[in-house]
Amino acid sequence: MKTWINKWKFFLPIIFLVASCTPEVDDPQMMEDRVKTAIFRSMQEWYFWNDKLPQGTDPTQFSSNEDLLSSIIHAPLDRWSYLTTPDAFTRAFTGQNAGHGFGWGFDENEHLYLLFVYKEAPAGKDNWQRGWRVLEVNGKPISSYKQSNGSYNFQLGPNETGITNTFKFLLPDGTEVVKTLGKAEYQSNSVLHRSVVSLDGKNIGYWVYNSFRATAGTTPASSVEVDQTLNYFISQNVDELVLDLRYNGGGSVGVTEQILNYLVPSHANGQTMYTNTLNNSKSSQNSSKKFEKKGNLNLNRLIVLTSRSSASASELLINCLTPYMEVVLIGANTYGKPVGSFPLSSYNKTLKDNNVELVPITFASANANGRAEYFDGFPVDFQVADDPSRDWGNPQERRYKAAIDYIRTGSVHSPGARIITYQPTWEMIDSFTGLQKEFPAY
C-alpha cells in the first residue's frame, strides 16, 4: 500500500505538468460542427414543421449554418426562418437600424420613387421625401439594375457605417438634384404620418404605420409611438380610421397586441384575440390571448391600406379584428404569413455561447373564428394601385383617396376615383431575406 502511494506521488506532478501544457482550446471545425448540430436539434425540438425535417440529416456535412437551415426548412410554405445574432435581433425589433434609411418602389410606368424616409436616418436628416423619383443610382440608369428574372439588384452595399452611394432625383417641382449619402446607424420611427380631416360631419384619422417595433427597455414589449398616436386620435374624437400598412412587413407581436387593444370595439373586451399552436411535441405550450380594451376609441370599422409588402404582424392585426368589426382592405393582396417565430438561443447553450440566434417558424396563429390558413395572403375588397409620386395624406393619392371615397359613399367607384389593377412584379420585400425581410429598408 505504501509503495503504491509513493509511486503516485512521483507520477502526479508529471500528470499535472502535461495537463497544464495542453491548451484548452476547441478545434474550430469541432466548434462549427457543434453549432450546426445545435441548430438541427433545436429545429427538431421547436420547428413548427418538425415532422417535415429531412430524415437522416447529418448537420456537420453542410458548408455553413445558413446552408444547413435553407436545406432543411419546409419549402415552399416556410419563407421566413433565419439565422442572425441575439444583438441584431434585439436591435431590429426596437428600431435600431443601419443604412441610408429609406424605402423605394415602382409605379405602373416602372418609374422608381422614394416610398418612405426615416426622419433620424441619413436620408431623413438630408430632407429626402416620399414622392421623389429616382433617375440614377451611382451614375447608372435604373433600368441597368434590372435582372433577367424581373427583379432588381441596386448594389448599394452592406448596411454599414461609411458606405456611400450617389442618387439622382427628379423632384415634384420638376428640378433634378444629385445627392451623395453615407450609411450610418440611426433610430427608425414606425409612425410615418398621422393626421385628421373632417368630412361630412366625421373626423377621419389617417395613420401610416411602417413596422411593429417596440420601444427599447419596455416590459412587456410596447411602443411609446403607438400610445402617442392612438391617444392623439382619441383626443381628436375620430369616428373613422384609415390604417396604412402598405409597406409594413411585421415585427413584434407584443406591439400588435397593444394596437389591437386600442382598436377593438368595447364589446369584444375579454374575448379571444388569437390562439397560438406549436408543433405536436410542444402542444402543452399552446396558448391564447384575450382582448384587454384600452382607451375609449370606439370604431365600427377599420379601413386598412395594404400591398404584397403587408405581412406577418400586419396580417395578424387584420385577422384578429375581423371577427369583431368590419375590416375593409384597399390596395393589393397581402403577403401571406399566418405563422410566427421566437428566438431559440435562450433554449440552447451552444447557440447562446457562440452568438448564434436561430429564429425559425415555431407557431401558427388563428383568430377567434379559427382562421389560420392564409399563406396566399388576404384578398383586398378593392384593388387600387400604389401612388408613390404623392406624399402621405395627399387627397389625390390613390389608395388614401379610395379610402376616403369608401367612407363617404360606401364605394371606391365614386366620381373621379381611379381603380387601377396594376401590381408590380418586384417590391422592396423581394430584395430582402431573414431579419431584414420583416423590416425592409435601404
Side-chain angles (χ1 to χ4, degrees):
M1 186 71 173
K2 185 176 180 180
T3 305
W4 182 86
I5 293 174
N6 287 337
K7 284 182 179 178
W8 278 105
K9 282 183 178 178
F10 176 78
F11 282 110
L12 279 174
I14 299 175
I15 293 170
F16 290 149
L17 180 63
V18 172
S20 66
C21 292
T22 304
E24 296 184 2
V25 178
D26 285 316
D27 176 78
Q29 185 59 54
M30 184 180 298
M31 184 52 67
E32 287 182 16
D33 289 346
R34 286 181 186 173
V35 172
K36 291 172 188 172
T37 300
I39 291 170
F40 188 68
R41 288 179 178 172
S42 295
M43 292 288 282
Q44 288 178 310
E45 180 180 3
W46 290 102
Y47 190 46
F48 183 68
W49 294 289
N50 62 350
D51 58 336
K52 305 294 185 183
L53 291 170
Q55 297 296 313
T57 298
D58 180 357
T60 66
Q61 297 304 302
F62 292 86
S63 61
S64 66
N65 298 339
E66 290 75 16
D67 184 35
L68 165 63
L69 186 62
S70 65
S71 298
I72 63 175
I73 60 174
H74 180 47
L77 290 185
D78 187 356
R79 294 170 280 173
W80 307 283
S81 294
Y82 62 88
L83 290 158
T84 182
T85 66
D87 181 64
F89 181 88
T90 300
R91 289 174 60 82
F93 275 78
T94 53
Q96 299 169 73
N97 288 6
H100 294 309
F102 69 83
W104 57 19
F106 290 95
D107 68 2
E108 67 270 22
N109 298 311
E110 210 157 357
H111 293 160
L112 184 67
Y113 288 89
L114 293 181
L115 301 179
F116 62 86
V117 179
Y118 294 127
K119 61 184 179 182
E120 295 301 322
K125 290 182 175 180
D126 198 36
N127 297 314
W128 295 20
Q129 300 290 327
R130 172 180 167 86
W132 289 12
R133 182 181 165 191
V134 189
L135 300 177
E136 295 179 357
V137 175
N138 291 322
K140 297 164 60 178
I142 302 307
S143 59
S144 67
Y145 293 97
K146 190 171 186 178
Q147 302 182 101
S148 58
N149 62 0
S151 65
Y152 284 80
N153 180 5
F154 292 102
Q155 303 167 25
L156 298 183
N159 281 338
E160 299 174 359
T161 299
I163 300 292
T164 62
N165 290 285
T166 300
F167 307 85
K168 184 177 182 180
F169 295 106
L170 176 63
L171 305 188
D173 64 5
T175 61
E176 294 183 2
V177 62
V178 175
K179 298 275 191 177
T180 297
L181 193 68
K183 297 186 178 184
E185 294 189 358
Y186 63 92
Q187 177 68 46
S188 65
N189 53 297
S190 290
V191 177
L192 299 180
H193 175 86
R194 70 180 197 188
S195 59
V196 176
V197 296
S198 296
L199 292 170
D200 301 337
K202 287 185 174 182
N203 292 330
I204 303 171
Y206 178 44
W207 179 17
V208 183
Y209 192 57
N210 182 251
S211 56
F212 294 80
R213 300 186 197 246
T215 300
T218 56
T219 304
S222 62
S223 167
V224 172
E225 279 188 278
V226 164
D227 281 336
Q228 292 172 339
T229 300
L230 286 163
N231 284 320
Y232 164 73
F233 288 131
I234 291 171
S235 71
Q236 297 297 306
N237 298 310
V238 299
D239 305 293
E240 303 269 8
L241 181 62
V242 179
L243 177 56
D244 196 332
L245 301 176
R246 72 180 83 179
Y247 310 131
N248 192 319
S252 166
V253 172
V255 176
T256 311
E257 294 172 3
Q258 179 187 3
I259 296 172
L260 284 166
N261 283 326
Y262 274 107
L263 298 183
V264 74
S266 299
H267 66 78
N269 186 44
Q271 300 300 307
T272 297
M273 180 185 288
Y274 64 81
T275 59
N276 281 344
T277 302
L278 283 71
N279 65 39
N280 289 336
S281 63
K282 296 292 183 182
S283 59
S284 63
Q285 299 188 37
N286 292 349
S287 62
S288 64
K289 187 72 176 180
K290 297 186 182 300
F291 285 105
E292 299 176 16
K293 177 63 180 175
K294 189 172 184 178
N296 60 1
L297 196 63
N298 196 25
L299 303 171
N300 293 319
R301 64 184 174 190
L302 180 70
I303 314 298
V304 185
L305 306 185
T306 62
S307 75
R308 192 161 55 83
S309 292
S310 307
S312 192
S314 290
E315 294 169 307
L316 177 64
L317 183 145
I318 293 166
N319 201 35
C320 289
L321 288 177
T322 300
Y324 302 104
M325 64 192 301
E326 180 185 10
V327 180
V328 180
L329 303 187
I330 295 174
N333 297 357
T334 65
Y335 191 82
K337 186 188 176 188
V339 287
S341 308
F342 49 80
L344 298 184
S345 66
S346 59
Y347 299 97
N348 189 290
K349 188 175 186 300
T350 299
L351 297 181
K352 186 174 183 179
D353 289 348
N354 287 273
N355 199 35
V356 174
E357 190 60 270
L358 171 62
V359 192
I361 296 301
T362 50
F363 61 89
S365 296
N367 69 9
N369 294 338
R371 185 174 188 181
E373 295 287 332
Y374 48 89
F375 285 100
D376 293 328
F378 289 119
V380 292
D381 297 289
F382 301 97
Q383 287 192 351
V384 180
D386 202 359
D387 194 1
S389 67
R390 291 186 170 93
D391 206 354
W392 306 120
N394 184 315
Q396 298 305 313
E397 194 277 312
R398 293 173 192 157
R399 286 176 176 166
Y400 176 62
K401 176 176 171 51
I404 297 299
D405 285 345
Y406 182 81
I407 291 170
R408 297 181 70 179
T409 70
S411 171
V412 299
H413 296 279
S414 60
R418 296 183 65 195
I419 308 305
I420 299 176
T421 57
Y422 162 79
Q423 303 298 342
T425 56
W426 177 91
E427 293 189 45
M428 201 170 52
I429 196 171
D430 299 319
S431 279
F432 296 96
T433 58
L435 186 59
Q436 284 188 304
K437 198 174 188 72
E438 199 144 15
F439 306 106
Y442 294 99

